[in-house]
Amino acid sequence: MPRLFVFGIGGTGARVIKSLTLLLAAGVQTNGYEIVPIIIDPHKDLPELKDCKNLMRLYKKIHNSTYKDGKGNEKGLFFHSNMISLNEIMPEVGPNSFDQDERIDASFGDLIAYNTLAKGDVNRDLIDLLYTEGTLRTPLSVGFKGNPNIGTVVLNNFEDAAWYKSFESILDAEDRVFIVSSIFGGTGASGFPLLVKTLRESSNPTVKNIVIGALPVMPYFKLTEPDSASNHKEIDSNNFFTKTKSALSYYDKNLTGVNALYYVADPTEQSTPYINNEESQDNKAHLVELIGASGILDFLNKDFTKIDSNHYDYALKEDANTIDFKNLGDELRDLIDSELTNYLVFTKLNPLLKSFPDAAINKNELFNDQFYRSDFVRDLEEFNVRYFSKWLSELSENERKFKPFNLSTSTDALHLLKVGSPIKNKTLFGLKNRRFDTSNFINRMETLRSKYKHIPIDSKASKYLALLNGAIIEVLNEEYNK
């Protein structure tokens, strides 16, 4: 099976990979590719980095529980695509994790051995011309604080790292590489061109000719104004556009060998900026990150016969502050509409099924109290509540709102779930207000049992997800096509 190695460089890289993981959970397809995320970010204490790694760990755990015996869901259902870490392919590179670079507990000055140079040394004088005293004191454990000039120096020799050498040694001709980074900060802006250069100059012919895609993310948010009295004043979002212009100018002249470049940005500034604090950076999910993740999936569905640079830009169908499925471009809508809708219904139904112990499906498939207290069901609940539901909620609350759903819709009125939904509240024998509710899906699960009889009854996780997923797809397809 071919693999896509997704390099998420810096905070933006991790946030796009987070959106990608949630889309895969919803059943969006990867054209048969396994996904191998590799996060590059020296800021190991960043909460959103830890959150992204835990999300991927949960995804993998649920996928493995469902597909462990090859008896799981058929293609196109929840958690179908395999996500693995580089460490699983090559255990010798270290413990199982999705990030590979190491934390650097040193200042930039210490890293370049500034203090070992004697005063009057021409090299010390040159460094003094290039960097301020504050820059030399910058602790690298919290990233590069929007300074690509620091990142370029720090990351310049990552090709010598053991994990990178292992990565090059396992790359097959059918594999692909995709790089996600911002180009208005420090880590991503420096790491992206360095990684492309390293790949294209490799002595390994397979690596040198590998198909490469990239998502250089342009500005899509602003930060609170830096305060001279604050501990977090190094990053000034007023400089984001200047940095972006400089990066684009550099890429135009010097960056070659990328098969597909996907550009995305949101130039509309928020009226309420993100908190300027690199120690937390606990900011809401943004539509740009979702669109960026869709670019990765688009890349997997394109053919590349030679190293030509193809450029793709994304524009909304309508420039509005509140976006639903009608405002999205047709290709993106077709990619995620049904999948996100299906999975949102799943998050609403999953906690309720244990409340119907006498339902035929629970009795016939032995979905009993023990099953509903299992680690598998608990993992699903954590994934849905802590990540998927929170993600949709944050997308609907940001300045550029992505709000295709009425998230507060109750399970006895699911016909109201999607904004502008064509599903009508039903009537039965002339009686009004027959609700489109949980019972529609529970009953359908029972009728689908024969379709999934090939899944052994002791593979409960596989059978449960297949039945519920299949019921949601069939019921919604019928309702939306009426």
Side-chain angles (χ1 to χ4, degrees), residues 61-129:
K61 191 176 179 184
I62 294 168
H63 170 87
N64 289 349
S65 296
T66 309
Y67 295 84
K68 59 182 178 181
D69 301 320
K71 306 288 188 183
N73 303 355
E74 59 193 33
K75 183 178 179 181
L77 303 185
F78 303 150
F79 297 96
H80 179 269
S81 296
N82 193 21
M83 178 178 286
I84 54 178
S85 68
L86 185 64
N87 312 67
E88 291 176 82
I89 304 171
M90 302 196 68
E92 66 270 21
V93 303
N96 186 13
S97 178
F98 288 101
D99 65 333
Q100 299 300 330
D101 62 322
E102 297 181 357
R103 176 189 175 101
I104 305 175
D105 287 310
S107 68
F108 179 57
D110 290 337
L111 185 76
I112 62 175
Y114 172 79
N115 292 321
T116 66
L117 301 173
K119 290 185 177 180
D121 187 311
V122 65
N123 293 305
R124 185 182 180 109
D125 292 340
L126 177 60
I127 292 172
D128 287 337
L129 285 173

Side-chain angles (χ1 to χ4, degrees), residues 395-439:
L395 287 171
S396 71
E397 295 167 356
N398 222 315
E399 194 71 16
R400 175 85 70 174
K401 296 177 174 61
F402 179 56
K403 196 173 183 179
F405 303 111
N406 300 305
L407 295 177
S408 60
T409 301
S410 64
T411 51
D412 64 350
L414 290 173
H415 56 286
L416 301 175
L417 185 64
K418 187 185 287 190
V419 172
S421 171
I423 297 179
K424 306 298 181 184
N425 202 359
K426 297 182 178 181
T427 61
L428 182 65
F429 304 125
L431 299 176
K432 295 182 179 181
N433 297 323
R434 175 181 175 267
R435 297 296 183 113
F436 177 58
D437 59 18
T438 310
S439 63

Side-chain angles (χ1 to χ4, degrees), residues 265-286:
D266 189 352
T268 303
E269 293 187 337
Q270 312 118 295
S271 58
T272 304
Y274 290 157
I275 300 300
N276 193 352
N277 182 341
E278 73 274 7
E279 291 179 359
S280 60
Q281 295 181 15
D282 187 19
N283 303 319
K284 289 184 174 64
H286 197 286

Side-chain angles (χ1 to χ4, degrees), residues 22 25 55 57-59 61-63 65-66 73 78-79 343 346-351 353 371-389 460-466 468-469:
L22 292 161
L55 168 67
R57 178 191 64 80
L58 263 179
Y59 177 97
K61 191 176 179 184
I62 294 168
H63 170 87
S65 296
T66 309
N73 303 355
F78 303 150
F79 297 96
Y343 199 85
F346 170 69
T347 66
K348 290 182 173 292
L349 296 178
N350 180 61
L353 286 174
F371 171 74
Y372 286 116
R373 291 196 301 267
S374 66
D375 288 344
F376 169 71
V377 176
R378 290 176 180 172
D379 289 340
L380 282 174
E381 281 299 292
E382 181 181 358
F383 189 96
N384 293 342
V385 174
R386 182 175 176 182
Y387 293 106
F388 189 82
S389 296
K460 288 188 180 181
S462 301
K463 181 68 75 72
Y464 176 79
L465 205 58
L468 185 50
N469 198 166

Side-chain angles (χ1 to χ4, degrees), residues 78-362:
F78 303 150
F79 297 96
H80 179 269
S81 296
N82 193 21
M83 178 178 286
I84 54 178
S85 68
L86 185 64
N87 312 67
E88 291 176 82
I89 304 171
M90 302 196 68
E92 66 270 21
V93 303
N96 186 13
S97 178
F98 288 101
D99 65 333
Q100 299 300 330
D101 62 322
E102 297 181 357
R103 176 189 175 101
I104 305 175
D105 287 310
S107 68
F108 179 57
D110 290 337
L111 185 76
I112 62 175
Y114 172 79
N115 292 321
T116 66
L117 301 173
K119 290 185 177 180
D121 187 311
V122 65
N123 293 305
R124 185 182 180 109
D125 292 340
L126 177 60
I127 292 172
D128 287 337
L129 285 173
L130 294 173
Y131 303 105
T132 66
E133 183 178 346
T135 298
L136 292 171
R137 291 200 307 265
T138 298
L140 299 178
S141 60
V142 293
F144 307 141
K145 296 188 176 182
N147 295 299
N149 56 333
I150 296 178
T152 300
V153 174
V154 176
L155 298 176
N156 195 42
N157 61 348
F158 71 83
E159 69 270 22
D160 296 327
W163 71 265
Y164 183 81
K165 292 179 178 179
S166 297
F167 156 73
E168 282 207 349
S169 70
I170 62 170
L171 209 58
D172 294 328
E174 63 180 359
D175 294 334
R176 293 187 177 189
V177 170
F178 198 94
I179 305 166
V180 184
S181 67
S182 72
I183 57 173
F184 55 90
T187 309
S190 55
F192 166 45
L194 281 173
L195 180 54
V196 173
K197 179 175 180 289
T198 302
L199 290 167
R200 288 299 180 224
E201 294 181 356
S202 173
S203 58
N204 183 329
T206 299
V207 177
K208 186 174 184 177
N209 295 294
I210 202 73
V211 174
I212 301 175
L215 176 75
V217 181
M218 296 182 283
Y220 66 100
F221 62 84
K222 69 176 180 179
L223 301 171
T224 51
E225 293 293 326
D227 184 345
S228 59
S230 170
N231 293 324
H232 311 286
K233 55 180 180 291
E234 293 90 348
I235 303 176
D236 186 351
S237 58
N238 293 316
N239 297 327
F240 282 176
F241 284 100
T242 301
K243 290 181 178 181
T244 298
K245 290 179 181 179
S246 297
L248 291 175
S249 176
Y250 175 83
Y251 297 164
D252 183 57
K253 296 176 182 177
N254 301 284
L255 188 67
T256 58
V258 180
N259 298 87
L261 280 167
Y262 290 81
Y263 287 108
V264 63
D266 189 352
T268 303
E269 293 187 337
Q270 312 118 295
S271 58
T272 304
Y274 290 157
I275 300 300
N276 193 352
N277 182 341
E278 73 274 7
E279 291 179 359
S280 60
Q281 295 181 15
D282 187 19
N283 303 319
K284 289 184 174 64
H286 197 286
L287 176 60
V288 161
E289 296 152 9
L290 168 61
I291 293 171
S294 75
I296 300 174
L297 300 166
D298 180 82
F299 171 71
L300 291 178
N301 286 283
K302 292 190 183 306
D303 294 323
F304 300 96
T305 56
K306 57 182 179 179
I307 300 177
D308 284 335
S309 184
N310 301 280
H311 296 79
Y312 305 95
D313 303 297
Y314 186 84
L316 296 171
K317 185 175 289 186
E318 177 185 354
D319 184 12
N321 288 330
T322 301
I323 305 299
D324 57 35
F325 288 125
K326 298 189 300 295
N327 306 117
L328 296 178
D330 293 341
E331 289 187 12
L332 179 56
R333 186 192 63 240
D334 292 343
L335 180 71
I336 67 174
D337 184 338
S338 296
E339 286 78 3
L340 289 183
T341 303
N342 294 343
Y343 199 85
L344 179 56
V345 172
F346 170 69
T347 66
K348 290 182 173 292
L349 296 178
N350 180 61
L352 296 179
L353 286 174
K354 61 186 175 185
S355 304
F356 299 90
D358 294 327
I361 189 64
N362 281 332

